[in-house]
């Protein structure tokens, strides 16, 4: 049996997991720093790296305990190399290299986006490409054609804010809290998403690209107008954020299915933090059922950042001969490239 230690610190969650070579998750510990970043309404990079330094030792310890293993049992270290915040990435890479050095264990750097793609294998190891992937997180909104595991073609991307970033910025502006995605998700349940109509940028154009910056501004402008008219109340705010969410989800669903038609695929895999969103999950499944297309989502805890997805992705590359040297460095802009 091969045991893989997955370390993920690209943003503000300190994550360590143990996954075996059958992709069974033996442990998956995530220490969120939300309470420290909440007061700033967003992530403060230096605070994030300092908190990783503080949390990682006990997150590692807990992950090994939960898996009933010790470091001596670990056969491979997989660590997020990028993209992400440099200071945060450094903490994870440093931890991974140190364990690898002292334990004489191979280690591999993993692309964070590819990690989000591999999250689906933890619960659906049977899924085989080709499929269309939609990765929606705080830093990315990408439509990718997955021809084989490791072989990718970018089809569409955001030209400004990522979908999760738009959720976070709208919530920050409306003083709803941080991170905005889960808060708006919760507030929107049972609210009227059809009360206000906002069109998302590039919604009706021919590309598979997205733009969320104008949508965010439109919501903010509308909020000002409601305040001027003294119409602002709790119910109205819920309808306002539900209407914002409706627009985000509508454009994500429409462009994903448009890409599917162009590619002629019959499966869709969704990943990244925004994939935890209930309305997106519902709408994608409904649309899939209508068209006879299978739509797969990881469980919410595997949508948001976690070490298990990094372990699964690292294992895949290691089994194909990848092994990083001590020179491996974190790269905040690491591109997702196909294997040879
Ligand atoms: O993948 P992730 O954990 O970290 C990044 O790689 O960015 O995604 C975090 C993003 C945040 O913007 C957060 O607001 C959003 O995912 N998010 C959600 C939900 N849960 C997390 N957005 C909408 N609905 C949710 N339930
Ligand atoms: Zn992520």
């Amino acid at each position: 049996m091969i045991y893989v230690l997955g370390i993920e610190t690209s943003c503000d969650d300190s994550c360590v997991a143990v996954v075996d070579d059958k992709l069974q998750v033996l442990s998956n510990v995530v220490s969120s720093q939300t309470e420290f970043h909440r007061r700033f309404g967003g992530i403060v990079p230096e605070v994030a790296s300092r908190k990783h330094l503080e949390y990682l030792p006990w997150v590692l310890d807990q992950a090994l305990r939960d898996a009933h293993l010790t470091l001596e049992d670990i056969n491979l270290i997989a660590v997020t190399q990028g993209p992400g915040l440099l200071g945060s990435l450094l903490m994870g890479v440093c931890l991974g290299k140190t364990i690898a050095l002292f334990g004489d264990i191979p280690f591999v750097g993993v692309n964070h986006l590819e990690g989000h793609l591999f999250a689906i294998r933890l619960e659906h190891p049977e899924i085989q490409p080709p499929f269309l992937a939609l990765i929606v997180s705080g830093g990315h909104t990408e439509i990718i054609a997955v021809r084989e595991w490791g072989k990718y073609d970018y089809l569409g991307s955001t030209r400004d804010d990522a979908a999760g970033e738009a959720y976070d910025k709208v919530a920050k502006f409306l003083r709803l809290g941080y991170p905005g995605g889960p808060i708006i998700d919760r507030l929107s349940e049972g609210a009227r998403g059809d009360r206000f109509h906002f069109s998302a940028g590039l919604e009706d154009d021919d590309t598979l690209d997205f733009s969320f910056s104008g949508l965010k501004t439109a919501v903010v402008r509308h909020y000002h107008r409601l305040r001027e008219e003294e119409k602002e109340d709790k119910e109205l705010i819920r309808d306002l954020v539900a209407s914002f969410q409706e627009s985000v989800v509508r454009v994500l669903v429409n462009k994903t299915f448009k890409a599917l038609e162009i590619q002629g695929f019959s499966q869709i895999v969704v990943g990244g933090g925004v994939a935890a969103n209930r309305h997106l999950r519902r709408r994608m499944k409904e649309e899939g059922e209508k068209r006879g297309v299978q739509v797969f989502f990881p469980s919410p805890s595997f949508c948001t950042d976690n070490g298990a997805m990094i372990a699964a992705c690292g294992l895949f590359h290691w089994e194909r001969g990848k092994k990083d040297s001590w020179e491996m460095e974190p790269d905040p802009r690491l591109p997702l490239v196909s294997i040879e």
Side-chain angles (χ1 to χ4, degrees), residues 12-301:
D12 64 333
D13 289 320
S14 312
C15 319
V16 181
V18 180
V19 171
D20 70 20
D21 52 353
K22 303 268 177 293
L23 296 180
Q24 294 294 315
V25 180
L26 306 186
S27 66
N28 189 34
V29 182
V30 177
S31 173
S32 163
Q33 305 176 359
T34 302
E35 61 176 302
F36 297 99
H37 300 283
R38 188 174 283 140
R39 72 191 83 157
F40 306 106
I43 295 159
V44 182
E46 185 174 331
V47 173
S49 14
R50 284 174 186 272
K51 287 291 160 194
H52 283 310
L53 187 64
E54 187 183 329
Y55 290 173
L56 279 173
W58 77 260
V59 173
L60 168 66
D61 184 54
Q62 193 61 46
L64 290 168
R65 278 174 200 271
D66 289 355
H68 304 290
L69 296 173
T70 69
L71 273 183
E72 277 153 30
D73 301 309
I74 300 298
N75 309 97
L76 173 68
I77 315 264
V79 55
T80 304
Q81 186 181 359
L85 300 170
L86 181 61
S88 292
L89 292 166
L90 273 166
M91 292 299 151
V93 169
C94 185
L95 177 68
K97 277 191 184 180
T98 308
I99 301 170
L101 177 66
F102 283 94
D104 195 20
I105 308 166
F107 86 106
V108 287
V110 170
N111 182 295
H112 181 77
L113 266 190
E114 195 177 18
H116 275 304
L117 270 177
F118 270 75
I120 201 68
R121 292 189 90 181
L122 298 167
E123 296 165 298
H124 293 280
E126 76 283 3
I127 293 178
Q128 285 304 330
F131 58 77
L132 194 83
L134 171 70
I135 303 295
V136 266
S137 69
H140 294 272
T141 310
E142 322 280 348
I143 298 182
I144 301 168
V146 179
R147 312 226 173 262
E148 288 170 36
W149 287 111
K151 302 246 167 163
Y152 312 112
D153 284 323
Y154 273 95
L155 304 178
S157 185
T158 182
R159 296 198 186 157
D160 40 57
D161 292 349
E165 194 178 354
Y167 269 95
D168 295 339
K169 285 182 175 171
V170 165
K172 182 177 179 181
F173 181 82
L174 300 178
R175 297 209 176 89
L176 298 174
Y178 174 84
I183 296 169
I184 290 181
D185 184 348
R186 202 171 52 244
L187 286 175
S188 301
E189 282 293 292
R192 284 180 50 200
D194 59 352
R195 182 151 175 192
F196 307 105
H197 180 80
F198 298 113
S199 58
L202 306 177
E203 197 163 352
D204 301 315
D205 79 336
D206 289 338
T207 74
L208 295 171
D209 286 342
F210 302 94
S211 164
F212 293 107
S213 170
L215 170 62
K216 170 197 68 193
T217 312
V219 174
V220 168
R221 225 181 269 141
H222 204 80
Y223 172 75
H224 279 307
R225 206 169 313 138
L226 293 171
R227 274 189 71 169
E228 275 161 24
E229 293 166 9
E230 295 181 356
K231 283 187 184 151
E232 178 201 6
D233 65 38
K234 269 201 184 131
E235 186 115 353
L236 211 84
I237 296 292
R238 287 185 57 218
D239 291 346
L240 184 69
V241 293
S243 303
F244 155 77
Q245 173 165 278
E246 184 63 41
S247 309
V248 174
V249 168
R250 187 178 61 238
V251 72
L252 290 176
V253 171
N254 288 347
K255 294 233 168 178
T256 304
F257 280 89
K258 185 170 158 188
L260 187 91
E261 257 172 42
I262 296 170
Q263 295 293 319
F265 292 167
S266 58
Q267 312 178 90
I268 295 174
V269 169
V270 191
V274 182
N277 184 268
R278 283 173 285 186
H279 191 49
L280 178 65
R281 295 171 87 94
R282 249 187 332 255
R283 286 290 303 114
M284 289 288 285
K285 296 256 180 195
E286 277 168 14
E287 205 56 37
E289 270 162 32
K290 241 193 260 168
R291 303 179 191 221
V293 169
Q294 282 189 296
V295 184
F296 298 95
F297 281 87
S299 297
S301 60

Side-chain angles (χ1 to χ4, degrees), residues 8 10-11 112-113 116 137-140 272-273 303-306 309:
E8 152 59 40
S10 65
C11 198
H112 181 77
L113 266 190
H116 275 304
S137 69
H140 294 272
C303 288
T304 45
D305 290 348
N306 64 87
M309 67 185 196

